[in-house]
Amino acid sequence: MQKIFKSLPVALGLSCMAIAPAGSQTIAQSQNYGVAPPACHEQTQIALNFCAVRWAKTADFLRSLVYEDIKTQLTSAKQIQLKAIETNWNSYREKHCLDLSKPFRTGSIYPLLYHSCLARVTNDRIADLLGKSNSQLSPDETSQRLAKVLNQDNLKNSAGQIQWLRYQSLQCRFEALQFTETPQRAKQCRDRLAASRLRELEKIR
């Protein structure tokens, strides 16, 4: 897996973007997973929008590599399950990022918000695939804050929340069946995914 991270700059021909686990010098030392935000040298809206697009595309490319690496280790039946989860997650990502950026749809900042959202959610999916978390919150704090956000913002029945709940259910069921030798991973699945969902919902507020 470490070779995948290291090969990204060459594969994509990037010169100004640091490809590494977000916020870390090395993969081994990192508690975050995915692609770090680009260091955009220009701060114009056009430049920032372009950087966000590159970030989203690079994160998605890494996700596809991680996904394919995991897929090759599965039986045919479990590959079908994983594909269904990935399809559901894609639907969630799109709905969530459209919801987040909707108030700015006609503004010049829209591409920055939309594509940055895609990148963040994709980084969280990379962590999900690896059974890791990009959040440092405790399960209790996550649960309390998530319930508060859902209630205050009336999001319990939103399309994004419904899609996310389905994704959480499918992913955690898959982990429970796939990783029987590491039951702790399956047990922590809902907490891990809930922490990611909380962080994204708080971006909307």
Side-chain angles (χ1 to χ4, degrees):
M1 192 61 64
Q2 190 165 354
K3 290 181 180 179
I4 291 177
F5 280 91
K6 288 183 176 179
S7 68
L8 276 173
V10 176
L12 297 180
L14 299 176
S15 58
C16 64
M17 184 180 291
I19 306 302
S24 176
Q25 293 295 324
T26 67
I27 295 169
Q29 297 171 347
S30 178
Q31 293 185 358
N32 294 300
Y33 296 81
V35 176
C40 298
H41 299 296
E42 293 184 36
Q43 296 300 305
T44 64
Q45 192 61 61
I46 292 177
L48 291 172
N49 291 349
F50 178 75
C51 281
V53 171
R54 294 287 294 276
W55 184 23
K57 288 183 177 180
T58 308
D60 203 52
F61 180 63
L62 176 56
R63 178 205 54 78
S64 70
L65 293 179
V66 174
Y67 173 84
E68 289 299 326
D69 185 57
I70 292 172
K71 182 180 174 182
T72 59
Q73 303 173 42
L74 301 175
T75 63
S76 296
K78 289 184 177 178
Q79 285 182 8
I80 293 173
Q81 292 176 18
L82 185 64
K83 183 177 180 180
I85 295 169
E86 199 72 0
T87 299
N88 192 270
W89 170 79
N90 266 302
S91 296
Y92 156 66
R93 178 179 60 171
E94 183 66 13
K95 284 182 172 62
H96 170 72
C97 291
L98 285 175
D99 284 345
L100 183 145
S101 56
K102 186 176 181 179
F104 308 92
R105 188 69 53 84
T106 59
S108 61
I109 198 175
Y110 171 75
L112 173 62
L113 296 176
Y114 175 71
H115 290 283
S116 293
C117 176
L118 293 180
R120 289 193 310 271
V121 177
T122 301
N123 278 346
D124 284 338
R125 177 57 180 156
I126 292 168
D128 294 344
L129 286 166
L130 298 173
K132 306 295 182 179
S133 175
N134 282 334
S135 173
Q136 305 304 314
L137 295 177
S138 69
D140 286 344
E141 185 178 358
T142 295
S143 179
Q144 292 171 8
R145 284 170 56 176
L146 183 56
K148 184 177 180 180
V149 170
L150 290 173
N151 287 330
Q152 286 184 344
D153 297 347
N154 200 26
L155 293 170
K156 282 187 175 181
N157 297 315
S158 68
Q161 180 66 9
I162 292 171
Q163 194 71 41
W164 176 79
L165 286 170
R166 177 167 172 74
Y167 163 61
Q168 183 194 49
S169 176
L170 290 172
Q171 176 65 24
C172 293
R173 193 182 313 157
F174 174 79
E175 290 192 22
L177 294 174
Q178 176 64 20
F179 302 102
T180 54
E181 73 286 359
T182 53
Q184 192 67 15
R185 169 171 174 170
K187 184 178 179 181
Q188 295 173 343
C189 179
R190 289 186 176 275
D191 293 332
R192 286 191 281 104
L193 271 62
S196 299
R197 177 61 173 156
L198 170 64
R199 190 169 59 255
E200 279 304 314
L201 287 176
E202 289 183 337
K203 293 285 184 183
I204 300 178
R205 308 185 80 197

